[in-house]
Amino acid sequence: MGTNGSTMLEPLRQGLPPVDPTAVSGSASCALPARFDAVRGARTFTRSTLSQWGLDERFDDVALVVSELVTNALRHALPEESRAPAGEPEPPVRLHLMRWSTRLVCAVRDPSEDRPGGAFSPERTEENFDLESGRGLFLVDSYSDSWGWHPLAGRLTGKVVWALFLLHD
């Protein structure tokens, strides 16, 4: 399911919090199909990767954030026709996990260039704050140390939404 390597992560480094990209001590990536059951696969991939990196104690918070980011990508960033079960040569959503000595970044790439939104967007109002849906980015903000997004550049189109977790010795 996953592929290791930093070359495929190069576009994700654009816009991430400042850190030396050559100091990545671990990276892993997996393609996710355009189906909502991909969220379970993303959580399984995250558990396995964090376990390999000796970060089992961070799984609950990281998995919650990964679940929200992947769900948002599947729900809001894909055109309806791409959710059909037909096989695609390149799945439209990718999960990337990158570890430095003091940081862990979860990044989800999707084909939409629209900014992430929902109840935690700057457009949040009294009327929409209590909605059940749209709280994903609020959870991402609550459980990670910071998060952000940026459009992709070059031959890749779409955006990356990322969440940063500080690691303590």
Side-chain angles (χ1 to χ4, degrees):
M1 180 185 223
T3 6
N4 290 320
S6 62
T7 54
M8 69 183 351
L9 301 176
E10 190 61 38
L12 296 177
R13 293 194 180 110
Q14 305 163 13
L16 286 176
V19 69
D20 179 6
T22 62
V24 173
S25 61
S27 64
S29 174
C30 73
L32 300 168
R35 299 185 313 266
F36 286 111
D37 63 348
V39 176
R40 183 183 318 129
R43 290 175 64 88
T44 301
F45 176 77
T46 299
R47 180 181 297 281
S48 171
T49 303
L50 293 183
S51 181
Q52 289 173 8
W53 293 343
L55 297 173
D56 294 298
E57 75 282 354
R58 297 306 305 262
F59 174 73
D60 291 337
D61 290 349
V62 174
L64 174 70
V65 167
V66 163
S67 295
E68 292 298 334
L69 294 180
V70 170
T71 298
N72 283 350
L74 294 170
R75 180 173 289 149
H76 302 294
L78 300 180
E80 282 297 321
E81 62 273 8
S82 71
R83 292 193 190 118
E88 298 176 34
E90 172 66 20
V93 176
R94 284 196 84 81
L95 167 63
H96 300 272
L97 301 173
M98 295 162 283
R99 179 185 183 203
W100 289 264
S101 59
T102 60
R103 298 175 180 199
L104 171 69
V105 172
C106 306
V108 174
R109 183 180 87 197
D110 68 54
S112 172
E113 294 179 0
D114 294 338
R115 69 176 293 144
F120 200 66
S121 71
E123 297 83 29
R124 181 177 56 184
T125 65
E126 288 275 329
E127 294 82 46
N128 70 11
F129 186 73
D130 292 330
L131 294 175
E132 285 300 315
S133 66
R135 290 191 182 173
L137 292 176
F138 177 76
L139 292 173
V140 170
D141 186 66
S142 297
Y143 284 86
S144 66
D145 290 294
S146 86
W147 72 276
W149 76 282
H150 63 87
L152 291 172
R155 64 179 179 80
L156 294 174
T157 58
K159 71 175 171 298
V160 171
V161 182
W162 55 265
L164 173 96
F165 295 86
L166 297 176
L167 303 175
H168 309 286
D169 295 330

